[in-house]
Amino acid sequence: MNTTLFLAVFLGYFIILVGISYLVSKKSGADAYYTGDRQSPWPLVAYGMIGAAMSGVTFVSIPGMVSNNYLYYFQFVIGNVIGYSFIVFVLIPIYYKFKLISIYTYLSNRFGFYSYKTGSLFFIISQSFGASLRLLLAVKVLDYAMFAPLGVPFPVTVVIILALIWVYTNKSGIKTIVWTDTLQTTFLIVAAVVSIFAIKNALNFSFSETIDAVTSHKYFQVFDWDPKSGNNFFKQIISGVLIAIAMMGLDQNIMQKTLTCKSKGEAQKNALVFSFILAITQFLFLGLGVLLYIYAEKQGVSLPVNENGTFINTDDLFPKLSLNYFGIAAAITFILGITAAAFSSVDSALTALTTSFTHDFLNMEKKTPSEKKKAKNITLFGFNIIVFAIIMAFANSTGDIITSIFKVAGYTYGPLLGLFILGIFTKTNITDKLVPVICILAPVLTYILNEALIQYFRFDLGFMNIFINALITISFLIIIKKNHEPTTNH
């Protein structure tokens, strides 16, 4: 590895991001950090959102996971695309109708104070852990390739990355991110394409031979019909629909970008186009994963396995091969790709967390411009500390982290999904003060149920835990309903 060259590429990339930030921030309005002045071109938003949605976890984990999970993950992706139709035709019109900055304000209009605060708090907890774990993988790779060889301790590496993100997002927030994410998405995709061509050339395959090698490989299995498997087709499709609605449509991080579009129609086009581009990109990375294992098999690259013959530390596969086997061009594009993944996943997450907390808990509408700026800066700094702490707590974790993130999301986003579904599709009014208790109880009961099913029936809910979680939430909310109708429209 050429540490000096990698560091130069990394710093050059950061300078470009700072330049974009400077140009964008010159014409920013007072609320540009939160709304992007609602002037973002929808094609730009749709394309740029790919980088934030994929993150370092997708960039590294999806190729590595195919050895133990085949291409079953794509069933989940298909469900995501279906779920986006709900976001497009149901959620986006609601968000634009109320002109929301924090999407959880809807829960205040519909149910009341406690539902609103609970929804926002669940998002903050979910996003803090999700963003931290996504960044962790990317930072590990950057540390391995650049900082550790220079003797920089891992905690300092984390601080450096967070500080760099602060520099180019602090002033204009989401308005800057809409533009920088476009660049970062490009590098993510280019890194995958360059790696595919590097492997093709190393194995002396033609393009058609490359496709044949991937599609005929034992890992190229897309559908799982075993009813007891966590990867079962129907479980994956249903959970893919629900998790897309929850992790995209009910997620301030993703929706904040969508709401920077000029109109409801443009926001809807953005979301539809984004869902299809994301699905194609994820399939590309799954195919790349099969190709990586083909390369390792044919070149005799040793990969660690456990006593059962199952591959371990699969998240190390793509970095290991790209940085050591595919040549300098592939190594540089990989560094650019993982840097883009690190920056794009965390910059928007920190902006969304700051937006949600300041607008949902600090009454920003009542503050002066100077007070707003101070509150924003303090909150942003606080979330940087939280992200740093979570990363250090999980710094020694190994294995495929993407599956864990989605399973955890099923528990944390399930109550949010239940609240929004009940609010949108019924006129039920509830005892608002009991909502926090229900939203804590539902995930606990879901976890207990899943463990019991696994122990006694060898039946794993898999990602379907979000469906059970939301169903339990809705059931308890109906139990605490009031007899009179809500007074607000939704």
Side-chain angles (χ1 to χ4, degrees), residues 70 77 103 107 113 129 156 161 179-180 195 272 279 296 333 368 377 405 407 416 441 451 467 475 479:
Y70 304 139
V77 174
I103 62 176
L107 296 176
F113 175 85
F129 275 93
V156 177
I161 301 299
W179 290 91
T180 56
S195 296
L272 277 176
T333 56
T368 64
N377 288 337
I405 286 177
K407 281 191 175 182
L416 262 178
L441 183 62
E451 291 301 305
F467 172 74
S475 300
I479 291 173

Side-chain angles (χ1 to χ4, degrees), residues 204-418:
N204 293 316
F205 284 170
S206 67
F207 189 71
S208 60
E209 287 173 335
T210 303
I211 295 175
D212 288 341
V214 171
T215 55
S216 62
H217 196 272
K218 63 181 180 180
Y219 293 158
F220 197 85
Q221 299 180 38
V222 180
F223 302 111
D224 183 355
W225 304 106
D226 180 2
K228 291 187 177 181
S229 170
N231 291 315
N232 173 262
F233 174 81
F234 297 103
K235 293 180 186 177
Q236 290 283 69
I237 291 290
I238 294 171
S239 58
V241 171
L242 296 177
I243 287 182
I245 294 170
M247 291 190 70
M248 304 294 184
L250 305 182
D251 188 297
Q252 180 70 27
N253 183 1
I254 298 297
M255 284 297 101
Q256 189 166 356
K257 293 187 181 71
T258 300
L259 296 179
T260 66
C261 293
K262 298 176 183 178
S263 66
K264 179 187 74 175
E266 291 200 357
Q268 289 174 310
K269 286 187 285 187
N270 155 67
L272 277 176
V273 171
F274 161 71
S275 67
F276 285 106
I277 297 177
L278 182 62
I280 293 169
T281 305
Q282 289 178 317
F283 189 80
L284 173 69
F285 274 84
L286 285 168
L288 170 61
V290 178
L291 202 54
L292 288 169
Y293 282 103
I294 292 174
Y295 178 89
E297 291 167 5
K298 291 187 177 295
Q299 299 296 322
V301 179
S302 177
L303 301 175
V305 297
N306 60 21
E307 61 275 7
N308 298 321
T310 302
F311 287 104
I312 58 176
N313 295 332
T314 56
D315 288 342
D316 293 342
L317 176 70
F318 192 15
K320 178 180 180 179
L321 296 183
S322 293
L323 297 175
N324 297 292
Y325 291 88
F326 295 162
I328 193 65
I332 289 174
T333 56
F334 179 83
I335 289 295
L336 287 170
I338 198 66
T339 302
F343 284 2
S344 63
S345 63
V346 151
D347 57 16
S348 56
L350 287 170
T351 302
L353 286 164
T354 301
T355 300
S356 183
F357 188 82
T358 54
H359 281 79
D360 296 339
F361 293 96
L362 299 183
N363 298 317
M364 289 291 276
E365 67 278 359
K366 297 181 180 179
K367 296 183 182 296
T368 64
S370 61
E371 289 174 334
K372 287 181 179 180
K373 183 177 180 180
K374 182 179 179 181
K376 182 263 291 183
N377 288 337
I378 293 174
T379 302
L380 180 57
F381 181 75
F383 279 117
N384 272 276
I385 297 297
I386 291 171
V387 167
F388 174 81
I390 295 173
I391 287 175
M392 296 313 302
F394 288 88
N396 295 320
S397 61
T398 59
D400 160 26
I401 203 169
I402 190 169
T403 301
S404 300
I405 286 177
F406 281 123
K407 281 191 175 182
V408 170
Y411 293 109
T412 55
Y413 280 93
L416 262 178
L417 184 62

Side-chain angles (χ1 to χ4, degrees), residues 37-57:
D37 295 327
R38 300 195 189 277
Q39 293 296 314
S40 301
W42 74 263
L44 188 78
V45 178
Y47 180 70
M49 281 168 61
I50 302 299
M54 288 187 63
S55 77
V57 170

